[in-house]
Amino acid sequence: MMAIPPGIDPDLLRSFVLVAEGGSITRAAARVGRTQSAVSMQMRRLEESLGQALLLRGARGLVPTPHGIWLLDRARRLLAMHDEIVTNFRAPEIAGPVRLGCPDDYALLWLPQILAGFAEAHPAVEVEVVCLPSSVLLSCFGKGELDLTLFSAGTEAPGVAAETIWRGPLRWVGPAARPIHLLRPLPLVLCHTGCTWRVAATQALDQAGVPWRMAYSSASQTGTHAVVLAGLGVTVGLSVALPPALRLLGPEDGMPALPELEIALLQHPGAVAEALANHIRRGFGDGAEVSARAA
């Protein structure tokens, strides 16, 4: 009879995820309430049990190896499901309202699946979804007007440690039927001043020496997509779930590379908020794999 290999302690995976995301054993130790030496020992135990190096020291701290990157996405999903199971069996039935903030840049991509699963698990909870720019959502969260919020990392958070739940490529988007990206100055369709996507786009163009002008602006991605669909400029967005008649633009189109986007989560204490946060973590873990395939 074939022997069953030993399992992996979820505590090891949790520490690994925090180290990989923060690039520091010291910061991870503070998050899990352990000493630095204890977390270092956990990383050694995890690498020994899997037989592969998972972390390397780089210029910005500890970074995951190729095996570590493979493990990181799966560890996030496993931990989210693990926490959901534990919460559902140990915690009393939760009920009441919860206020969730999410930029509309990625609300339609992830929230339907997340909210459907949450409603099935917790039918007595009433969810209010607020879609606003990241900077506004962070202000609302800081004033206690939201119980938890998603936001694009890089926007200044209100003095609270945020959790990175997704990382993926930011891409140029233009109309499929018109080569508007060849115009100089390049007409841009972006969000408000200070938006992390807008900053990333204009900095990339400046560094590449591509002249540009702000043709249109909108507080939502729906608005920017509408203008691009009209053939009036290019914008930036994710590499998945593009409306028909839009296409991704890359180096072959003369467009400079853009940095990766990080989506982060902030939450106030509370059983309802924690339950919804667990569904969000699992939903974005599933979405990361979809995005990686599309890119």
Side-chain angles (χ1 to χ4, degrees):
M1 187 173 178
M2 186 173 175
I4 299 175
I8 302 174
D9 185 346
D11 287 342
L12 300 184
L13 291 177
R14 195 179 307 279
S15 294
F16 166 72
V17 169
L18 292 174
V19 172
E21 290 179 344
S24 167
I25 286 180
T26 302
R27 285 195 288 270
R31 292 281 300 274
V32 298
R34 294 176 180 267
T35 65
Q36 183 176 344
S37 59
V39 174
S40 295
M41 180 67 73
Q42 284 184 313
M43 296 304 95
R44 285 196 293 272
R45 285 175 52 199
L46 183 60
E47 290 182 332
E48 289 171 359
S49 66
L50 295 177
Q52 297 289 346
L54 302 174
L55 296 163
L56 289 175
R57 187 163 297 281
R60 298 183 180 180
L62 292 172
V63 295
T65 65
H67 285 102
I69 293 172
W70 186 92
L71 176 63
L72 182 60
D73 286 339
R74 288 151 182 82
R76 287 186 182 122
R77 297 201 299 272
L78 188 150
L79 289 171
M81 185 173 291
H82 170 273
D83 293 345
E84 181 184 359
I85 291 171
V86 171
T87 299
N88 283 347
F89 279 92
R90 292 184 181 175
E93 178 63 27
I94 60 174
V98 64
R99 300 161 299 176
L100 167 66
C102 180
D104 87 325
D105 302 323
Y106 30 85
L108 286 178
L109 180 57
W110 277 287
L111 285 192
Q113 175 187 352
I114 291 170
L115 294 178
F118 183 73
E120 183 178 354
H122 305 289
V125 175
E126 176 187 348
V127 182
E128 177 185 353
V129 179
V130 178
C131 289
L132 291 167
S134 290
S135 58
V136 181
L137 291 173
L138 288 174
S139 176
C140 293
F141 180 85
K143 293 185 236 182
E145 296 170 357
L146 295 171
D147 299 298
L148 65 170
T149 188
L150 296 158
F151 67 99
S152 296
T155 311
E156 186 175 352
V160 183
E163 173 188 359
T164 299
I165 60 170
W166 188 85
R167 181 182 291 107
L170 193 61
R171 301 290 300 274
W172 295 103
V173 178
R178 186 179 176 191
I180 194 76
H181 59 281
L182 299 179
L183 292 181
R184 296 293 183 270
L186 178 69
L188 295 180
V189 186
L190 297 170
C191 197
H192 58 90
T193 302
C195 169
T196 55
W197 293 22
R198 176 168 172 156
V199 171
T202 55
Q203 284 183 348
L205 292 171
D206 288 340
Q207 291 170 3
V210 177
W212 56 270
R213 66 180 179 88
M214 196 59 59
Y216 292 85
S217 63
S218 173
S220 70
Q221 189 173 67
T222 302
T224 59
H225 279 173
V227 176
V228 177
L229 282 166
L232 301 176
V234 300
T235 189
V236 294
L238 303 181
S239 58
V240 290
L242 284 179
L246 294 184
R247 74 178 184 93
L248 297 176
L249 303 170
E252 66 279 6
D253 302 295
M255 302 300 293
L258 290 167
E260 284 199 332
L261 164 73
E262 291 186 1
I263 297 175
L265 172 68
L266 281 172
Q267 67 177 94
H268 288 300
V272 182
E274 179 61 28
L276 180 53
N278 285 333
H279 279 265
I280 290 171
R281 293 183 187 104
R282 191 170 77 182
F284 272 82
D286 294 340
E289 194 167 282
V290 172
S291 180
R293 290 198 300 266

